[in-house]
Amino acid sequence: DVQLVESGGGSVQSGGSLRLSCQFYGSKYATACMAWFRQAPGKEREGVAAIDSDFGSTSYADSVKGRFTVFRNHAGNTLYLQMSTLQPEDTAMYYCAARRCGNPQYEYWGQGTQVTVS
């Protein structure tokens, strides 16, 4: 089974930075492709950043390009989202998710961590 546990959320002023962490347990195969999503009140969930460990590629939503960076640690069991130049519109619950890279749908989700920018 796969478990994902996010941490690092909090409140920050506009222009500030935060680093989110997602520690995961379980099959490396099932967590080879991972991503961060977010959902603000009254809005649909949106993908923020994704990383493919098989090929080392990353991708970002246009709204966060140049401000957010997604990466994994060397041991490969923690996913990070470094967020800089935060803006009020970044306020949301942030979730990490994992899937087998051959599966288009994310199969495993964390419980979320709240980010509030004022």
Side-chain angles (χ1 to χ4, degrees):
D1 196 15
V2 173
Q3 291 184 329
L4 310 175
V5 181
E6 301 102 330
S7 61
S11 296
V12 64
Q13 290 188 340
S14 183
S17 300
L18 280 175
R19 177 179 289 188
L20 305 184
S21 300
C22 173
Q23 191 162 7
F24 54 91
Y25 310 89
S27 165
K28 288 188 177 181
Y29 178 66
T31 56
C33 281
M34 298 191 71
W36 288 96
F37 289 79
R38 68 185 180 186
Q39 187 166 22
K43 294 188 177 181
E44 293 188 356
R45 185 174 60 197
E46 64 171 339
V48 174
I51 186 166
D52 176 347
S53 292
D54 287 352
F55 298 100
S57 61
T58 57
S59 61
Y60 298 90
D62 288 342
S63 59
V64 306
K65 279 181 182 176
R67 301 189 298 123
F68 290 11
T69 303
V70 61
F71 59 100
R72 294 168 73 139
N73 67 341
H74 182 71
N77 62 349
T78 306
L79 178 73
Y80 298 96
L81 184 68
Q82 178 67 47
M83 306 185 294
S84 303
T85 320
L86 284 162
Q87 302 165 7
E89 50 265 38
D90 295 316
T91 295
M93 184 71 80
Y94 284 71
Y95 300 89
C96 71
R99 62 178 173 90
R100 290 164 289 174
C101 291
N103 188 342
Q105 300 295 327
Y106 283 89
E107 303 163 84
Y108 307 99
W109 295 83
Q111 82 289 352
T113 187
Q114 177 68 37
V115 172
T116 302
V117 185
S118 59

